[in-house]
Amino acid sequence: MEELTLKQSVFRDELVERLRLDLMGPTAPDEVIEDRPTDRYMTGILYPQETSISVEEDDELGVAGSDDEAAVEEAVPLISTMKPSSAGISFSVEGAAPAVQARVRCGIYRLEGGDKTDPNTRRWRRTALEATVPLALEPGVTEESLEGHGIAGLKLYAQVSSADPGRRNVTVALVNLQSRGETRTESEERTFFQIELEARPSPGTAFVARPSRKHAIDDDGRAAELIYRDAQEIATGHTCAAGWDTTDGVVDAVRTAWLPSAVVPAVSPLGDKSFASITASTKLDAEWLASAPVPALVAALRELVAAYQAWIEENRGRVSSLPQALQGQAASHLGECEQGVSRMLLSIQAVETQPTVRRAFQLSQRAMDVQRRWTEKKPLTWRPFQLGFQLLVLAGLADRHHSDREVMDLLWFPTGGGKTEAYLALTAFTLFIRRLHAKAPDDGAGVAVLMRYTLRLLTVQQFQRAAAMVLACEHLRRSDAEGGLGAAPLSIGLWVGNSATPGTIDDAITGKGGATHKQLTSCPCCKGPLDWDFPKRLSRVRCMGTDPCVLRFPKGEGLPVWTIDEDVYRETPSLLIGTVDKFAQIVRNQKSGSLFARGSSRMPPDLIVQDELHLISGPLGTVTGLYETAIDELCAQQGTRPKVIGSTATIRRARDQITALFARRAFQFPLRGSTTAALASQ
Ligand SMILES: [Zn+2]
């Protein structure tokens, strides 16, 4: 884990505190505010009984017609739902005569001057209230009004049971007993804000972890039981969350938490220490991989897999020390890791024994390095998980009949960690291997890779990155002396809604609807200006940079970049980037048949990249599942299927989702061990 600097952690704490002040308050114990407190604060509130949620407050309603995909989930009206008037925590204790001190703190607000006050001069003044109540934790129910402690209208409720000998399970809650007022001001004054309930043990009483009532019903649940086996639940919240303090491992207080927070360890892209020697070498440099002689290349790739195997063995050694109930799950995880190793070794074997696979792999490495030098002015060095993922998938891409095509490989890594580069490298490999494997190289032209994003996530920046990679491939094709890469350019297309890019050349010329075909801001290689024009009935974009640039093609030839639908259907770009909703149109749009090589000698797409899979859920997921079947069929040829890779932010139930969407098994990478993943260790 990478430690935060002091400055970062101070900044983080301040951010959390400001959020708390904003959502819950108060800024001072006796603060005076202008807004109604229920308008000002959003959480930590106990309302009078039977306060219903008004239509205006129901965020989930009124999204009809919105194009925000995440909000398309069906909204259930909350009108009949009541706002909370109770909140509490549950915990377990041990001790001969267990008891706790319950401390309650909250605030109420009074309108100064009463209801008649001029709205412009209205002020609400806070009064801080506090009570400490000793609670003997005898089995049964205790109810205690806090009126005698100075908090009228609030009741403390405790329920204690003794399920196991020596242990008491306790629920302590606060209830606002007051009813709604006649006016909004009255109701406001009967509301408690900044509710805090804390329990501290009396001498001889100890908090203990709550017995786990969760029984894993699926593989995800069993995996979580294994990986989080050391996590203890000391308390759980009702209406709110729960938190606790520990000193030297001893819990000294449990409490309500309205803004629960936890430190999530950062994932290091450098991987486990098993990879230290290979990451310190030059063997993860794309340039070295692109030019290494076959024996050295194969040895380096085997070294990476061997480091992974060492990590697996180390984990295997730990299995016997796990609780008996978890050993089976740990063994199953390690079995999956072994499957990953076998698949990587098959890819390495293909690189070693098949010259075309070796050449496509080395060209893909060269292309990735070239585009990195263009865009960031430095060479590309892979992180272990990025190269590992390429090896996992490569064999299934190289062989159209490989059984791996029945598997969707899921790259699990936090956003910003370098997933896109791993996809782009596999895309480059696909572009080259199709040309090298086709009977005539240009039969490998046509759409080779479909890269799909959900509407909100496809950005100009992503298109530019992908364009830089494809243009690097095209540069290599043009300067290639070995042959076999064909005469058709390696190209990229953008296929999105016509509010962003034009449907026809005419629309592009007139600029109809504000859509623009100018989706690159500068030359990916020299950063020089681009010229977009329409010689004949074609769009054309050329680098006009003044520095020498490999993308300044002879005879005024344009870059193979297509961003108008009409051009996309005719040119069938090697890499087609689109949005999920655009792909849904294939059933209504006959022209899109060309994208799947219908009626030509070319091959249908070989690779589908689906990023951010978790966003394809709800109604969007249902529709996607339907046309995904059609795409699979369109890409199928003589019993082969395209390879599908992607990522998701939520691992849970990803396997079910992938079966439903793509009719494929899911393979998560990096894989879980008995702790976390090696190629992306914590
Ligand atoms: Zn240029």
Side-chain angles (χ1 to χ4, degrees):
M1 177 186 161
E2 291 167 48
E3 294 291 333
L4 291 182
T5 62
L6 182 63
K7 202 172 157 192
Q8 285 170 321
S9 82
V10 168
F11 176 78
R12 181 184 64 185
D13 293 347
E14 193 171 308
L15 202 66
V16 171
E17 177 59 13
R18 286 203 192 168
L19 186 70
R20 192 189 65 76
L21 287 178
D22 216 34
L23 297 178
M24 200 171 146
T27 49
D30 55 351
E31 70 173 358
V32 178
I33 57 174
E34 290 175 25
D35 310 324
R36 286 177 181 276
T38 55
D39 287 342
R40 171 88 173 244
Y41 297 125
M42 298 182 72
T43 189
I45 304 171
L46 293 188
Y47 294 88
Q49 304 274 321
E50 296 184 359
T51 308
S52 57
I53 293 175
S54 66
V55 182
E56 310 85 79
E57 286 174 284
D58 188 349
D59 295 338
E60 298 298 317
L61 291 179
V63 294
S66 158
D67 59 0
D68 182 352
E69 286 168 27
V72 182
E73 298 277 344
E74 186 150 313
V76 177
L78 296 175
I79 297 163
S80 57
T81 312
M82 298 299 161
K83 292 184 177 180
S85 54
S86 64
I89 44 175
S90 291
F91 52 87
S92 295
V93 292
E94 283 179 356
V100 291
Q101 293 284 323
R103 188 176 73 167
V104 178
R105 292 204 290 184
C106 61
I108 51 171
Y109 291 81
R110 295 276 176 267
L111 181 61
E112 292 191 330
D115 244 351
K116 303 274 185 289
T117 320
D118 171 9
N120 295 320
T121 61
R122 252 181 207 185
R123 296 286 182 274
W124 296 84
R125 181 176 294 278
R126 182 181 192 266
T127 305
L129 303 172
E130 179 168 347
T132 302
V133 183
L135 282 178
L137 301 177
E138 293 306 319
V141 174
T142 316
E143 293 184 34
E144 184 160 352
S145 162
L146 295 180
E147 186 144 16
H149 298 270
I151 312 181
L154 196 63
K155 182 176 79 173
L156 183 70
Y157 166 100
Q159 183 178 330
V160 181
S161 64
S162 53
D164 310 312
R167 184 209 300 268
R168 302 272 159 89
N169 296 332
V170 185
T171 296
V172 187
L174 292 167
V175 184
N176 184 349
L177 294 176
Q178 300 165 100
S179 55
R180 242 173 346 128
E182 293 290 314
T183 63
R184 198 174 160 197
T185 299
E186 268 178 41
S187 296
E188 202 82 39
E189 294 186 339
R190 295 179 188 180
T191 302
F192 295 100
F193 295 84
Q194 296 100 23
I195 284 283
E196 279 179 48
L197 171 60
E198 182 187 87
R200 289 184 173 273
S202 302
T205 302
F207 289 117
V208 293
R210 281 163 51 77
S212 174
R213 285 171 295 109
K214 297 185 196 106
H215 294 289
I217 51 162
D218 56 14
D219 190 54
D220 291 327
R222 286 187 289 273
E225 278 186 347
L226 171 67
I227 291 167
Y228 302 107
R229 61 187 176 274
D230 294 330
Q232 288 192 321
E233 182 184 283
I234 300 293
T236 189
H238 309 285
T239 307
C240 56
W244 52 88
D245 299 334
T246 52
T247 308
D248 300 329
V250 177
V251 181
D252 39 35
V254 298
R255 64 169 61 82
T256 52
W258 296 93
L259 295 172
S261 61
V263 175
V264 180
V267 175
S268 165
L270 297 177
D272 188 76
K273 59 182 183 330
S274 321
F275 298 93
S277 90
I278 194 161
T279 47
S281 74
T282 57
K283 293 169 195 165
L284 295 179
D285 292 352
E287 186 184 27
W288 185 87
L289 293 164
S291 51
V294 179
L297 174 67
V298 168
L301 297 178
R302 290 223 167 94
E303 189 182 333
L304 176 75
V305 178
Y308 187 37
Q309 273 175 311
W311 177 84
I312 296 171
E313 286 314 312
E314 196 185 313
N315 267 262
R316 203 181 293 287
R318 288 196 212 119
V319 171
S320 59
S321 62
L322 292 171
Q324 191 75 35
L326 298 175
Q327 290 188 10
Q329 188 66 24
S332 138
H333 287 190
L334 293 171
E336 285 182 26
C337 292
E338 291 286 4
Q339 280 180 36
V341 166
S342 309
R343 290 178 55 192
M344 289 186 224
L345 289 175
L346 281 178
S347 294
I348 297 173
Q349 195 180 27
V351 167
E352 185 176 24
T353 58
Q354 298 176 43
T356 47
V357 175
R358 191 268 310 150
R359 190 161 167 231
F361 176 70
Q362 291 200 306
L363 281 166
S364 73
Q365 298 301 313
R366 174 73 65 202
M368 290 305 292
D369 191 59
V370 164
Q371 62 87 29
R372 172 62 72 92
R373 286 171 196 268
W374 286 351
T375 52
E376 293 183 32
K377 308 266 177 265
K378 60 179 185 191
L380 173 68
T381 300
W382 293 114
R383 291 154 173 179
F385 85 92
Q386 291 174 314
L387 190 55
F389 188 68
Q390 292 174 52
L391 291 178
L392 187 78
V393 178
L394 204 125
L397 278 177
D399 177 1
R400 313 192 100 226
H401 297 278
H402 202 289
S403 60
D404 278 1
R405 293 214 175 189
E406 299 299 319
V407 178
M408 174 174 183
D409 288 308
L410 210 51
L411 182 53
W412 175 84
F413 207 81
T415 303
K419 281 188 300 224
T420 305
E421 271 158 335
Y423 298 153
L424 291 179
L426 287 166
T427 299
F429 176 81
T430 308
L431 263 44
F432 289 121
I433 196 75
R434 274 167 66 98
R435 298 282 169 107
L436 295 170
H437 274 177
K439 282 193 196 97
D442 283 340
D443 284 350
V447 179
V449 181
L450 302 174
M451 199 175 270
R452 289 184 308 208
Y453 290 89
T454 43
L455 201 53
R456 287 176 303 162
L457 288 158
L458 178 58
T459 59
V460 169
Q461 193 201 1
Q462 273 163 328
F463 180 66
Q464 296 205 18
R465 282 176 76 180
M469 184 280 290
V470 171
L471 293 172
C473 291
E474 170 63 3
H475 161 58
L476 297 182
R477 186 194 67 81
R478 283 173 177 261
S479 51
D480 172 64
E482 223 170 305
L485 297 180
L490 291 164
S491 52
I492 182 167
L494 186 63
W495 197 45
V496 296
N498 292 135
S499 58
T501 58
T504 62
I505 302 285
D506 288 339
D507 289 351
I509 292 168
T510 57
K512 187 182 149 195
T516 176
H517 57 294
K518 298 177 183 175
Q519 297 292 335
L520 290 182
T521 50
S522 60
C523 170
C525 171
C526 71
K527 302 285 173 285
L530 295 171
D531 179 62
W532 303 76
D533 64 356
F534 299 94
K536 302 171 194 163
R537 291 217 21 105
L538 286 175
S539 70
R540 179 173 67 170
V541 52
R542 287 173 301 167
C543 166
M544 301 308 249
T546 46
D547 297 337
C549 174
V550 293
L551 296 182
R552 293 198 68 165
F553 299 147
K555 297 180 218 149
E557 254 183 284
L559 299 176
V561 175
W562 308 104
T563 56
I564 302 170
D565 292 355
E566 194 180 324
D567 286 337
V568 165
Y569 301 137
R570 186 190 60 250
E571 298 292 331
T572 61
S574 318
L575 168 59
L576 183 63
I577 298 191
T579 47
V580 170
D581 56 316
K582 192 77 174 184
F583 280 93
Q585 291 180 8
I586 56 166
V587 288
R588 292 187 279 123
N589 183 349
Q590 211 176 358
K591 290 179 199 150
S592 62
S594 65
L595 305 175
F596 299 93
R598 293 278 116 177
S600 84
S601 62
R602 291 177 168 179
M603 297 187 284
D606 271 297
L607 175 63
I608 294 175
V609 183
Q610 178 61 65
D611 209 15
E612 311 289 352
L613 186 67
H614 55 278
L615 295 176
I616 305 181
S617 60
L620 179 68
T622 308
V623 174
T624 307
L626 289 174
Y627 73 73
E628 221 39 78
T629 313
I631 290 180
D632 224 6
E633 185 58 34
L634 287 168
C635 295
Q637 200 189 46
Q638 295 157 14
T640 69
R641 304 177 83 183
K643 176 75 193 169
V644 183
I645 60 173
S647 72
T648 179
T650 45
I651 297 295
R652 188 162 166 74
R653 302 211 59 216
R655 285 165 199 246
D656 292 350
Q657 195 194 2
I658 287 164
T659 308
L661 275 178
F662 297 109
R664 281 167 172 78
R665 283 188 292 119
F667 196 88
Q668 180 192 320
F669 183 87
L671 290 143
R672 306 168 292 205
S674 63
T675 50
T676 46
L679 289 157
S681 80
Q682 294 196 336

